[in-house]
Amino acid sequence: MSRNMSRNFDSADETRPFEDGKGKLELINTEHGPVGRAVFEPGWRWSTHVKPIAGTDSCEAAHVAYAVSGRMTVVMDSGETVEIGPGDLVSIAPGHDAWVVGDEPCVLLDWAGFGDYAKR
């Protein structure tokens, strides 16, 4: 049976830092699955700051995410490219690289692909 809940990412169940201090993932576990808030700092790139943690050639997580702030470019292994920014809802298939665009952190909320993301 579903219950009402209210949680805050400032009191997340788990926090996973990215390499070189380029951001973090805050994860809240719910009865519907994990929900994450990631802060990607300027200069963050998946292939530099998460690939060493994941151990895969590209990001193999499928994401359904909402961009709260900042901008990010996502490039699929096929070469397809998309840039996301504030207010965008995105669905991203496995097999991609990504990086922050500009000097503002990119903040994403994801309720599909962060369960094992950057997990050591």
Side-chain angles (χ1 to χ4, degrees):
M1 175 176 233
S2 277
R3 296 171 291 175
N4 295 326
M5 70 162 244
S6 176
R7 297 284 310 275
N8 190 300
F9 283 105
D10 293 335
S11 300
D13 295 318
E14 186 177 355
T15 299
R16 300 176 189 161
F18 303 141
E19 296 287 306
D20 300 328
K22 286 294 184 180
K24 62 185 175 182
L25 167 64
E26 298 159 317
L27 198 66
I28 293 176
N29 295 306
T30 76
E31 67 181 68
H32 303 289
V35 179
R37 174 176 72 180
V39 178
F40 303 96
E41 296 294 339
W44 176 90
R45 186 178 185 117
W46 184 90
S47 54
T48 303
H49 301 103
V50 180
K51 180 179 180 175
I53 301 167
T56 56
D57 289 335
S58 58
C59 181
E60 295 302 322
H63 302 283
V64 177
Y66 174 78
V68 176
S69 61
R71 302 197 73 73
M72 181 179 284
T73 296
V74 179
V75 178
M76 303 303 297
D77 291 347
S78 67
E80 179 185 356
T81 301
V82 64
E83 185 171 309
I84 60 176
D88 288 344
L89 177 68
V90 295
S91 176
I92 302 167
H96 57 273
D97 194 3
W99 56 87
V100 171
V101 175
D103 296 328
E104 180 183 357
C106 182
V107 178
L108 297 180
L109 301 177
D110 186 320
W111 50 94
F114 280 167
D116 290 324
Y117 192 85
K119 189 172 188 175
R120 296 181 193 266

